[in-house]
Amino acid sequence: ERNIALETAFQAAPVGMAVIDRRGRILSGNRCLQSILGLDGTIEGRSLTSILNANGIGHNSEVLASLFGGALDSVEFEH
């Protein structure tokens, strides 16, 4: 029941969220993140960098690289 409640809250969150592995691949992403990235299909198994570059918003890649590198604690993107 706890897993179902967590998944429901994760998917319903009003902010884009993802669980990312050490290689930068998305293990799970919520609906808001898919909307922000302009994707209708699955994002699991893809990297944020490849998604951003494919959608023509690669300028955000520098921000994401800083976030993954530990230089930033969080990043806010306009939805």
Side-chain angles (χ1 to χ4, degrees), residues 2-17:
R2 188 181 315 167
N3 288 342
I4 292 170
L6 179 61
E7 179 65 21
T8 300
F10 179 73
Q11 289 299 333
V15 295
M17 297 190 312

Side-chain angles (χ1 to χ4, degrees), residues 2-46:
R2 188 181 315 167
N3 288 342
I4 292 170
L6 179 61
E7 179 65 21
T8 300
F10 179 73
Q11 289 299 333
V15 295
M17 297 190 312
V19 177
I20 301 171
D21 70 13
R22 292 179 185 223
R23 297 177 303 146
R25 301 273 178 210
I26 298 172
L27 299 175
S28 180
N30 70 354
R31 287 185 289 269
C32 186
L33 179 64
Q34 289 177 329
S35 177
I36 290 169
L37 297 175
L39 300 173
D40 292 329
T42 184
I43 60 175
E44 285 77 15
R46 299 177 63 186

Side-chain angles (χ1 to χ4, degrees), residues 9 16 19 25 27 33 39 43 51 63-64 68 73 75 78:
V19 177
R25 301 273 178 210
L27 299 175
L33 179 64
L39 300 173
I43 60 175
I51 292 169
V63 174
L64 290 170
F68 291 138
D73 292 329
V75 175
E78 288 187 29

Side-chain angles (χ1 to χ4, degrees), residues 36-37 52-53 56-66 75 77:
I36 290 169
L37 297 175
L52 292 174
N53 288 335
I57 49 177
H59 64 278
N60 290 331
S61 295
E62 294 175 16
V63 174
L64 290 170
S66 297
V75 175
F77 292 99

